[in-house]
Amino acid sequence: MEMAKYILQILRTQPIVVFSWGFHNAQPIHNGLRFSVNGYLHQGDVVVIYNEGADLFVVNTLNADGTIKQQEEGVYLDCLVNVIDSMVETK
């Protein structure tokens, strides 16, 4: 739960970008956050998980059946919004 709040706090640093994704339905998950988007490149769910060992994030976009569509590993907190944006909205 605390990690989900922390990830939301990071996302709130760039609200205009996050709103451009159609961000909604945020749900805390174990060591992360799951939310839905309606972006240009991806419509569906995004999962952000904190990797404690590496002190970095893993970002997954999910297909409608819950399988991983795209994965980015080793994401630093200051790059998190930009990485999600490149997966969801812009290339």
Side-chain angles (χ1 to χ4, degrees), residues 8-9 12 18-19 25 40 50 53 56-57 61 72 76 78 85-87 90:
L8 279 172
Q9 193 175 15
R12 287 185 186 124
V18 174
F19 290 145
N25 199 27
Y40 179 70
Y50 178 65
L56 300 170
F57 293 95
T61 55
E72 291 291 332
Y76 291 93
D78 60 340
D85 192 53
S86 72
M87 297 170 77
T90 62

Side-chain angles (χ1 to χ4, degrees), residues 44-87:
D45 288 348
V46 176
V47 175
V48 180
I49 299 170
Y50 178 65
N51 179 339
E52 292 181 45
D55 195 25
L56 300 170
F57 293 95
V58 176
V59 180
N60 296 317
T61 55
L62 304 180
N63 293 310
D65 64 1
T67 59
I68 295 174
K69 176 179 178 181
Q70 184 179 2
Q71 182 176 70
E72 291 291 332
E73 296 180 342
V75 179
Y76 291 93
L77 75 99
D78 60 340
C79 299
L80 185 60
V81 174
N82 291 335
V83 168
I84 297 170
D85 192 53
S86 72
M87 297 170 77

